[in-house]
Amino acid sequence: MKIWIVTARFGQGHFSAARSLEEKYKARGYEVVVSDVIELLYPFGASMVYGAFNHIICRNAAIYNFLNEFGRNPDKEVLPAKQLKEAFDEIQPDAVITTWSACARMLGSLPVPTFVCVTDLGVHAGWVAPHVQGYLVATQSVADQLVEMKVPEGKIHISGIPVKKVFETLAPEPKTTKKVLIMGGGLGILPWVDSLLKELSEHPEIKITVIAGRNRKLYRKLYQRYPSATIIGFTSKVAEYLAQADLLVSKPGGVTLFESIYAETPCLAVFPSYKHEIENAKFIQTREIGDVVWQSESLCDGILKALENEEKRCLWQKNMQEMKMQLQAQQRKEPYLVEDSI
């Protein structure tokens, strides 16, 4: 069986989820093709689209939220693109899975089952399309939101947000060493990290690791200014660093959040401003698996409070352990598989 996974690189979460699904299906012996929908639509302009997104839109919450709200209009007609039809004919998959909200509507109705994997803890109308066979969602809360949008319950499968196998097989380490891991996603967007490290330098007992991702300029600056901190560029060992940390400090992306759940490392969500980040941050607080530092609050104080309150950190970790067990049980019941629909 051949599975076609269609995604986009607006942020790293959608693409990371696509790669995690690819890993799971290949382990079952399936043939898998992963495609970037923007590269298919604009083969000579995709780099410009992503460049604009990464350098302008991705750093401006107001612009991002406006465009995101515009794109999720359920009444806006989206005509299937010729390039996507040609790609489908060439690949000839037995099933299609999308991990970016607009993909299913762009693809239109296909002669094979189409599934949508929702990559955040909230869902909007842009994810929903009438021809979709099934929805893979993170939690019951997301499932309930889809039901409110008139999606039949039978189409909804609770499986968590997909992460790579290395996270699912982690052996979490004891959280007693005051190790803080700071991440800004694959793009390394950390506008607040310089001032934070200046404040944290007054607390030498805290061991700091910063993963700057592909942001080489940030890596060089931090490496030179903060020799007592461990500064890392893009790495394939995120799971190891996450398992060793007592606290993850990061923007609250859906994939990152579920990686931290599997590592049992509480997450301190930093200044959520995008709509999906706010939904993810509220999930962190509601489920008591970490805390949130909002725009008007001190990030350094938030970190210090989290590290000093061992009782609360133990509660966060316990809740993560329980959530992980529930996810694993649910995945055994409804795995990331599509055979029954073919």
Side-chain angles (χ1 to χ4, degrees), residues 175-176 305-316:
K175 312 297 184 185
T176 57
K305 288 177 182 177
L307 291 177
E308 290 167 1
N309 195 334
E310 187 174 347
E311 182 179 352
K312 180 169 283 189
R313 287 207 324 278
C314 287
L315 172 64
W316 292 341

PDB file of all heavy atoms in Angstrom, residues 175-176 305-316:
ATOM      1  N   LYS A 175      14.269  14.571  37.490  1.00  0.00           N
ATOM      2  CA  LYS A 175      14.214  16.017  37.301  1.00  0.00           C
ATOM      3  C   LYS A 175      14.623  16.727  38.595  1.00  0.00           C
ATOM      4  O   LYS A 175      13.812  17.279  39.323  1.00  0.00           O
ATOM      5  CB  LYS A 175      12.797  16.434  36.890  1.00  0.00           C
ATOM      6  CG  LYS A 175      12.194  15.604  35.759  1.00  0.00           C
ATOM      7  CD  LYS A 175      12.973  15.719  34.462  1.00  0.00           C
ATOM      8  CE  LYS A 175      12.300  14.967  33.341  1.00  0.00           C
ATOM      9  NZ  LYS A 175      13.071  14.956  32.093  1.00  0.00           N
ATOM     10  N   THR A 176      15.917  16.696  38.897  1.00  0.00           N
ATOM     11  CA  THR A 176      16.381  17.264  40.170  1.00  0.00           C
ATOM     12  C   THR A 176      17.643  18.101  40.016  1.00  0.00           C
ATOM     13  O   THR A 176      18.253  18.478  41.011  1.00  0.00           O
ATOM     14  CB  THR A 176      16.680  16.127  41.163  1.00  0.00           C
ATOM     15  OG1 THR A 176      17.658  15.243  40.592  1.00  0.00           O
ATOM     16  CG2 THR A 176      15.424  15.353  41.505  1.00  0.00           C
ATOM     17  N   LYS A 305      10.579  30.363  39.534  1.00  0.00           N
ATOM     18  CA  LYS A 305       9.477  29.821  40.324  1.00  0.00           C
ATOM     19  C   LYS A 305       9.252  28.343  40.008  1.00  0.00           C
ATOM     20  O   LYS A 305       9.002  27.530  40.900  1.00  0.00           O
ATOM     21  CB  LYS A 305       8.198  30.614  40.049  1.00  0.00           C
ATOM     22  CG  LYS A 305       8.199  32.011  40.644  1.00  0.00           C
ATOM     23  CD  LYS A 305       6.920  32.751  40.270  1.00  0.00           C
ATOM     24  CE  LYS A 305       6.931  34.180  40.808  1.00  0.00           C
ATOM     25  NZ  LYS A 305       5.716  34.932  40.394  1.00  0.00           N
ATOM     26  N   ALA A 306       9.343  28.002  38.725  1.00  0.00           N
ATOM     27  CA  ALA A 306       9.127  26.608  38.324  1.00  0.00           C
ATOM     28  C   ALA A 306      10.222  25.700  38.886  1.00  0.00           C
ATOM     29  O   ALA A 306       9.942  24.568  39.322  1.00  0.00           O
ATOM     30  CB  ALA A 306       9.082  26.501  36.806  1.00  0.00           C
ATOM     31  N   LEU A 307      11.456  26.174  38.885  1.00  0.00           N
ATOM     32  CA  LEU A 307      12.564  25.357  39.378  1.00  0.00           C
ATOM     33  C   LEU A 307      12.552  25.241  40.899  1.00  0.00           C
ATOM     34  O   LEU A 307      12.954  24.217  41.455  1.00  0.00           O
ATOM     35  CB  LEU A 307      13.899  25.946  38.916  1.00  0.00           C
ATOM     36  CG  LEU A 307      14.195  25.862  37.414  1.00  0.00           C
ATOM     37  CD1 LEU A 307      15.512  26.559  37.093  1.00  0.00           C
ATOM     38  CD2 LEU A 307      14.244  24.421  36.934  1.00  0.00           C
ATOM     39  N   GLU A 308      12.094  26.289  41.574  1.00  0.00           N
ATOM     40  CA  GLU A 308      12.093  26.282  43.037  1.00  0.00           C
ATOM     41  C   GLU A 308      10.947  25.447  43.605  1.00  0.00           C
ATOM     42  O   GLU A 308      11.058  24.914  44.705  1.00  0.00           O
ATOM     43  CB  GLU A 308      11.997  27.726  43.556  1.00  0.00           C
ATOM     44  CG  GLU A 308      13.269  28.532  43.306  1.00  0.00           C
ATOM     45  CD  GLU A 308      13.060  30.034  43.531  1.00  0.00           C
ATOM     46  OE1 GLU A 308      11.917  30.409  43.906  1.00  0.00           O
ATOM     47  OE2 GLU A 308      14.003  30.796  43.318  1.00  0.00           O
ATOM     48  N   ASN A 309       9.864  25.335  42.879  1.00  0.00           N
ATOM     49  CA  ASN A 309       8.685  24.619  43.377  1.00  0.00           C
ATOM     50  C   ASN A 309       8.736  23.162  42.919  1.00  0.00           C
ATOM     51  O   ASN A 309       8.112  22.766  41.936  1.00  0.00           O
ATOM     52  CB  ASN A 309       7.412  25.292  42.873  1.00  0.00           C
ATOM     53  CG  ASN A 309       6.175  24.823  43.636  1.00  0.00           C
ATOM     54  OD1 ASN A 309       6.155  23.712  44.169  1.00  0.00           O
ATOM     55  ND2 ASN A 309       5.165  25.671  43.689  1.00  0.00           N
ATOM     56  N   GLU A 310       9.486  22.354  43.658  1.00  0.00           N
ATOM     57  CA  GLU A 310       9.664  20.953  43.278  1.00  0.00           C
ATOM     58  C   GLU A 310       8.353  20.179  43.366  1.00  0.00           C
ATOM     59  O   GLU A 310       8.092  19.285  42.550  1.00  0.00           O
ATOM     60  CB  GLU A 310      10.722  20.297  44.160  1.00  0.00           C
ATOM     61  CG  GLU A 310      11.077  18.887  43.723  1.00  0.00           C
ATOM     62  CD  GLU A 310      12.236  18.312  44.515  1.00  0.00           C
ATOM     63  OE1 GLU A 310      12.912  19.074  45.228  1.00  0.00           O
ATOM     64  OE2 GLU A 310      12.460  17.095  44.409  1.00  0.00           O
ATOM     65  N   GLU A 311       7.502  20.535  44.319  1.00  0.00           N
ATOM     66  CA  GLU A 311       6.214  19.839  44.472  1.00  0.00           C
ATOM     67  C   GLU A 311       5.357  20.022  43.219  1.00  0.00           C
ATOM     68  O   GLU A 311       4.746  19.071  42.724  1.00  0.00           O
ATOM     69  CB  GLU A 311       5.479  20.369  45.696  1.00  0.00           C
ATOM     70  CG  GLU A 311       4.152  19.677  45.959  1.00  0.00           C
ATOM     71  CD  GLU A 311       3.447  20.196  47.201  1.00  0.00           C
ATOM     72  OE1 GLU A 311       4.063  20.998  47.940  1.00  0.00           O
ATOM     73  OE2 GLU A 311       2.282  19.803  47.431  1.00  0.00           O
ATOM     74  N   LYS A 312       5.328  21.250  42.703  1.00  0.00           N
ATOM     75  CA  LYS A 312       4.531  21.508  41.505  1.00  0.00           C
ATOM     76  C   LYS A 312       5.127  20.803  40.300  1.00  0.00           C
ATOM     77  O   LYS A 312       4.399  20.255  39.466  1.00  0.00           O
ATOM     78  CB  LYS A 312       4.420  23.007  41.259  1.00  0.00           C
ATOM     79  CG  LYS A 312       3.600  23.360  40.025  1.00  0.00           C
ATOM     80  CD  LYS A 312       3.274  24.842  39.960  1.00  0.00           C
ATOM     81  CE  LYS A 312       2.148  25.194  40.906  1.00  0.00           C
ATOM     82  NZ  LYS A 312       1.672  26.598  40.710  1.00  0.00           N
ATOM     83  N   ARG A 313       6.458  20.811  40.176  1.00  0.00           N
ATOM     84  CA  ARG A 313       7.097  20.128  39.047  1.00  0.00           C
ATOM     85  C   ARG A 313       6.804  18.631  39.084  1.00  0.00           C
ATOM     86  O   ARG A 313       6.606  18.004  38.042  1.00  0.00           O
ATOM     87  CB  ARG A 313       8.617  20.356  39.025  1.00  0.00           C
ATOM     88  CG  ARG A 313       9.018  21.744  38.607  1.00  0.00           C
ATOM     89  CD  ARG A 313      10.402  21.788  37.966  1.00  0.00           C
ATOM     90  NE  ARG A 313      11.368  20.883  38.543  1.00  0.00           N
ATOM     91  CZ  ARG A 313      12.071  21.124  39.640  1.00  0.00           C
ATOM     92  NH1 ARG A 313      11.877  22.253  40.308  1.00  0.00           N
ATOM     93  NH2 ARG A 313      12.957  20.254  40.073  1.00  0.00           N
ATOM     94  N   CYS A 314       6.770  18.067  40.288  1.00  0.00           N
ATOM     95  CA  CYS A 314       6.447  16.640  40.408  1.00  0.00           C
ATOM     96  C   CYS A 314       5.016  16.374  39.958  1.00  0.00           C
ATOM     97  O   CYS A 314       4.734  15.346  39.318  1.00  0.00           O
ATOM     98  CB  CYS A 314       6.642  16.172  41.850  1.00  0.00           C
ATOM     99  SG  CYS A 314       8.375  16.036  42.350  1.00  0.00           S
ATOM    100  N   LEU A 315       4.096  17.304  40.279  1.00  0.00           N
ATOM    101  CA  LEU A 315       2.712  17.164  39.835  1.00  0.00           C
ATOM    102  C   LEU A 315       2.643  17.243  38.316  1.00  0.00           C
ATOM    103  O   LEU A 315       1.963  16.430  37.674  1.00  0.00           O
ATOM    104  CB  LEU A 315       1.851  18.264  40.450  1.00  0.00           C
ATOM    105  CG  LEU A 315       0.409  18.358  39.908  1.00  0.00           C
ATOM    106  CD1 LEU A 315      -0.374  17.087  40.241  1.00  0.00           C
ATOM    107  CD2 LEU A 315      -0.294  19.600  40.465  1.00  0.00           C
ATOM    108  N   TRP A 316       3.344  18.204  37.714  1.00  0.00           N
ATOM    109  CA  TRP A 316       3.356  18.335  36.257  1.00  0.00           C
ATOM    110  C   TRP A 316       3.868  17.046  35.612  1.00  0.00           C
ATOM    111  O   TRP A 316       3.293  16.547  34.648  1.00  0.00           O
ATOM    112  CB  TRP A 316       4.244  19.499  35.835  1.00  0.00           C
ATOM    113  CG  TRP A 316       3.725  20.856  36.213  1.00  0.00           C
ATOM    114  CD1 TRP A 316       2.444  21.181  36.553  1.00  0.00           C
ATOM    115  CD2 TRP A 316       4.474  22.067  36.290  1.00  0.00           C
ATOM    116  NE1 TRP A 316       2.340  22.518  36.834  1.00  0.00           N
ATOM    117  CE2 TRP A 316       3.566  23.096  36.677  1.00  0.00           C
ATOM    118  CE3 TRP A 316       5.806  22.396  36.068  1.00  0.00           C
ATOM    119  CZ2 TRP A 316       3.971  24.423  36.843  1.00  0.00           C
ATOM    120  CZ3 TRP A 316       6.208  23.717  36.230  1.00  0.00           C
ATOM    121  CH2 TRP A 316       5.291  24.709  36.610  1.00  0.00           C
TER     122      TRP A 316
END
